[in-house]
Amino acid sequence: MSPSPEPTDRIAAFGNQLVDVHLYLREELTRLRADVAAHLASGGERPRELRAHCLAFCSALTRHHTAEDEGVFPALALRHPELRPVLDELSRDHEQVTELLRAVQKLVDGLGAGPEPDPAEARRISGELDGLVALVESHFTYEERKLVSALNALNALDGSAGALPAGFEEFALSDLTERRADPC
């Protein structure tokens, strides 16, 4: 028996891919938080890399959530109608995350240059990042607990071997890490 083609393996492991994507996004959020903290501690001009890092993280998380809302969640709802309330709740979380991402991006864009960071500015951005970290961690943990098994059980929805369900193209970790220039 020959091994399955890669797309079929990919479908069979969507739950595992979800966990991998979440690990990557958690690491990026930790790095972003550390970059902001380092800037606030050192003062001086806001490095362009900080803005680029913030944009890249925002873009990756937004693409991930869009892929879930437009492809993954509808496919799961068809196959597992009992998950609809969970999927609706996760979609509402996505809206809250989007609002926090916009607030963080706006604050990072507005970080001033100077010998000392403004303490009020430092508190605002630290508070927004803390809120984003808390929401994202809670969201990821809940999503993994509720969806990994169902995702791992998914097969091609149309029954053809190797076919990706619609909307799943942006779901893999490689899809997030290969395209970083999309705006939030």
Side-chain angles (χ1 to χ4, degrees):
M1 178 181 242
S2 64
S4 299
E6 196 262 312
T8 302
D9 295 341
R10 194 173 158 179
I11 291 171
F14 267 123
N16 298 342
Q17 285 190 35
L18 177 71
V19 173
D20 288 344
V21 167
H22 287 176
L23 287 171
Y24 167 77
L25 291 168
R26 284 174 172 117
E27 289 169 2
E28 287 300 306
L29 184 53
T30 298
R31 283 188 40 220
L32 176 61
R33 197 178 195 188
D35 287 353
V36 168
H39 168 71
L40 293 173
S42 67
E45 188 174 332
R46 175 181 45 95
R48 288 189 343 184
E49 296 82 24
L50 177 58
R51 184 173 186 277
H53 188 187
C54 192
L55 280 170
F57 172 77
C58 175
S59 178
L61 185 56
T62 299
R63 280 196 319 274
H64 171 68
H65 284 167
T66 300
E68 287 179 338
D69 289 337
E70 294 178 1
V72 176
F73 290 178
L76 277 174
L78 284 173
R79 296 294 287 267
H80 299 279
E82 72 280 5
L83 289 175
R84 282 192 176 121
V86 169
L87 300 171
D88 290 343
E89 184 177 352
L90 291 168
S91 289
R92 284 189 299 275
D93 282 357
H94 293 171
E95 292 170 15
Q96 291 178 319
V97 168
T98 297
E99 290 305 312
L100 281 171
L101 286 173
R102 285 185 185 132
V104 167
Q105 186 66 54
K106 184 177 179 179
L107 288 168
V108 167
D109 286 347
L111 281 175
E116 296 287 324
D118 174 15
E121 184 178 62
R123 282 191 302 276
R124 276 192 305 276
I125 194 161
S126 294
E128 290 292 338
L129 277 170
D130 289 348
L132 180 61
V133 168
L135 179 57
V136 165
E137 184 56 39
S138 171
H139 173 80
F140 286 172
T141 300
Y142 179 71
E143 189 172 61
E144 290 165 5
R145 190 173 71 242
K146 295 293 187 176
L147 301 185
V148 167
S149 295
L151 283 166
N152 279 341
L154 271 183
N155 293 318
L157 296 180
D158 65 2
S160 62
L164 288 173
F168 277 56
E169 299 83 9
E170 295 279 332
F171 191 68
L173 179 59
S174 61
D175 297 322
L176 293 179
T177 59
E178 290 172 2
R179 294 186 358 213
R180 294 179 178 251
D182 295 350
C184 288

